[in-house]
Amino acid sequence: MADYITTYTGIHFYPTDPDPEAINIEDIAHALSLLCRGNGHVSTFWSVAQHCIICAREAAAREWPDRLVLACLLHDASECYLSDVPRPFKAELVGYREHEDRLLDMIYTRYLGTPLSPEEQRMAREIDDGALYYDLRDLLHNEQSEQDPQFHVIPSYDFRSFQEVEKEYLELFRYYYNRYKNALGGDSHAKIPGGGTLQDLAELPTCPPQRPGPDYDLLADQVRAFAETEPSLMPLLSNAAALLKDAMADVNWAGFYLRREPADPSSADAFNNPSSEATVMANEAGASSARTVPSPDLLLGPFQGKPACIRIPWGRGVCGTAADRDRTQLVSDVHAFPGHIACDSASNAEIVVPIHRSDGSVTAVLDIDSPLKGRFDPEDQTGLEQFVRVLEQYGEWD
Ligand code: SME
């Protein structure tokens, strides 16, 4: 019997006596996308590659060096040649660990130039263990006693085709490998590990591959179907928030803030329950200046996510700014946005789209938050504005 396995690309690979030249990223991406996590004890197919992609994206979100992003992507790559042996059994298999460690070192050396240092191993393991916690909790439904590890990426356990996952794995690899090798510099014609030359790699994409976005045309159709059935705002906006939260990757909050007019400043209620800071300041200055025109507020509406701030003054925060300027706010890093109002400390990026009544005035905003910096791009903006146009057209705003 042959002492090699034949890989997806047709290479003869000797698992007990591996040749570094036989290690191939296309084989790794393909096989890991077809290997099921948890030895198949999961409710639906979910691959080792999906786990590795989460780890790599988490390393990137933590702004760790490209070398560590790649290490996280490759940390289970030996499984494509040795298979995924459950941890308790692995401990019993004499020699298995040694083979696995040797092969992993070879894989790291092939793509990163050297094996991982002990500190790099510790960092990669920290993310691997965090992802394992969510795998056990959400994929295998195991009770977890510890606190949720702080993750920027929100792991998704939705079924995806292996072809789509394989493509994402390869795109991530190529992007970070390209940057890693270019940062190291060197002769552009030199043969580099893993095949190709620096010249070839320079032609590869220069921005991080995004997770496939939602189908915004489909989302617009879905919200239109809800609106045609029932245009009143409470059910419509509740389902709209649910649709978005469910369809968009790495979103921790999706919902609406609705414009509320200030109470009549001459009424007693306006003093007890001022609707905005403009009125508060006017009240502090005395009854006569309280007659200055106060601004409306944004009041929390239907949403999905953690509990959020109830009132936002017009012009304040990302939501108030979008409403006041009547312009979508696409914020890559909320901590760099002056006056950002933090509701969920996990949020790092935000997009807010104004919603109009039939007379053209701003009557509400759609607000979406993500733990991932730079999560939203102009494509999301166009898609969400299209979604909001449907709400404007069908909802009972007037
Ligand atoms: N961050 C928003 C507040 C609302 S929460 O994100 C749900 C803002 O700055 O307006």
Side-chain angles (χ1 to χ4, degrees):
M1 201 168 61
D3 44 6
Y4 58 78
I5 60 166
T6 305
T7 69
Y8 169 63
T9 61
I11 293 170
H12 288 173
F13 190 92
Y14 294 76
T16 56
D17 185 21
D19 171 6
E21 286 292 314
I23 295 167
N24 181 292
I25 195 62
E26 275 149 29
D27 284 332
I28 293 171
H30 185 79
L32 296 190
S33 307
L34 279 168
L35 273 180
C36 192
R37 188 97 169 127
N39 265 53
H41 298 285
V42 287
S43 45
T44 186
F45 179 75
W46 200 81
S47 64
V48 175
Q50 283 172 282
H51 165 79
C52 296
I53 287 171
I54 286 176
C55 293
R57 289 201 181 275
E58 177 62 22
R62 292 183 187 189
E63 297 174 349
W64 286 3
D66 292 344
R67 182 177 153 89
L68 266 158
V69 177
L70 287 165
C72 287
L73 192 64
L74 292 169
H75 76 282
D76 280 337
S78 59
E79 292 179 13
C80 99
Y81 301 112
L82 304 182
S83 188
D84 184 9
V85 177
R87 281 189 189 187
F89 186 45
K90 200 183 277 189
E92 292 290 311
L93 291 179
V94 179
Y96 183 92
R97 269 241 176 263
E98 288 71 23
H99 279 297
E100 187 183 53
D101 289 347
R102 192 158 56 103
L103 182 52
L104 252 185
D105 277 355
M106 203 177 267
I107 292 169
Y108 288 136
T109 305
R110 178 138 175 80
Y111 295 117
L112 306 177
T114 55
L116 299 190
S117 69
E119 176 59 8
E120 288 171 330
Q121 284 183 29
R122 188 199 62 73
M123 290 170 80
R125 201 172 316 114
E126 180 186 309
I127 286 189
D128 188 21
D129 287 347
L132 176 65
Y133 171 96
Y134 289 108
D135 293 356
L136 289 171
R137 193 190 73 178
D138 298 345
L139 190 64
L140 292 151
H141 308 293
N142 277 9
E143 290 268 319
Q144 297 290 297
S145 51
E146 309 131 55
Q147 276 219 316
D148 292 356
Q150 276 276 328
F151 251 44
H152 297 69
V153 166
I154 301 176
S156 159
Y157 294 97
D158 294 343
F159 172 80
R160 291 174 67 197
S161 72
F162 84 86
Q163 292 95 335
E164 191 185 297
V165 172
E166 179 179 343
K167 183 167 171 281
E168 185 179 348
Y169 188 101
L170 277 174
E171 281 174 0
L172 270 175
F173 175 83
R174 290 191 175 125
Y175 173 74
Y176 287 102
Y177 185 60
N178 186 23
R179 273 211 330 199
Y180 176 67
K181 296 304 293 183
N182 282 343
L184 291 184
D187 174 3
S188 65
H189 297 285
K191 187 90 178 123
I192 55 163
T197 63
L198 282 178
Q199 257 187 343
D200 300 338
L201 290 170
E203 288 159 17
L204 290 166
T206 50
C207 63
Q210 297 293 319
R211 199 161 279 198
D215 181 339
Y216 282 112
D217 290 339
L218 177 65
L219 276 171
D221 287 346
Q222 287 170 324
V223 80
R224 186 177 296 108
F226 280 123
E228 281 171 348
T229 313
E230 180 52 70
S232 36
L233 290 186
M234 189 67 84
L236 176 57
L237 301 187
S238 303
N239 275 330
L243 277 176
L244 293 172
K245 177 78 168 43
D246 187 53
M248 296 181 76
D250 296 313
V251 158
N252 58 315
W253 203 93
F256 297 88
Y257 279 91
L258 311 176
R259 176 181 179 138
R260 281 293 168 269
E261 297 309 326
D264 177 355
S266 61
S267 77
D269 189 48
F271 288 87
N272 297 331
N273 191 12
S275 71
S276 75
E277 194 163 315
T279 324
V280 179
M281 289 186 305
N283 289 344
E284 281 165 359
S288 61
S289 59
R291 275 194 286 278
T292 54
V293 182
S295 330
D297 272 341
L298 289 168
L299 186 65
L300 183 61
F303 70 93
Q304 297 265 319
K306 289 198 175 157
C309 337
I310 296 173
R311 266 177 206 277
I312 296 177
W314 201 261
R316 292 294 178 89
V318 186
C319 292
T321 303
D324 189 46
R325 298 196 186 153
D326 190 1
R327 272 185 95 121
T328 296
Q329 303 294 304
L330 201 166
V331 183
S332 295
D333 178 1
V334 292
H335 308 290
F337 188 97
H340 161 253
I341 300 164
C343 290
D344 180 348
S345 61
S347 300
N348 283 311
E350 185 161 6
I351 184 164
V352 181
V353 183
I355 304 176
H356 306 88
R357 292 159 57 117
S358 56
D359 66 2
S361 59
V362 175
T363 186
V365 295
L366 164 64
D367 178 16
I368 304 184
D369 288 6
S370 169
L372 283 187
K373 277 189 195 161
R375 162 65 184 78
F376 304 107
D377 60 19
E379 204 179 307
D380 293 304
Q381 176 170 346
T382 307
L384 292 169
E385 287 174 350
Q386 174 192 357
F387 188 86
V388 156
R389 294 295 86 83
V390 177
L391 293 175
E392 288 173 340
Q393 194 186 342
Y394 290 88
E396 289 177 343
W397 299 102
D398 297 312

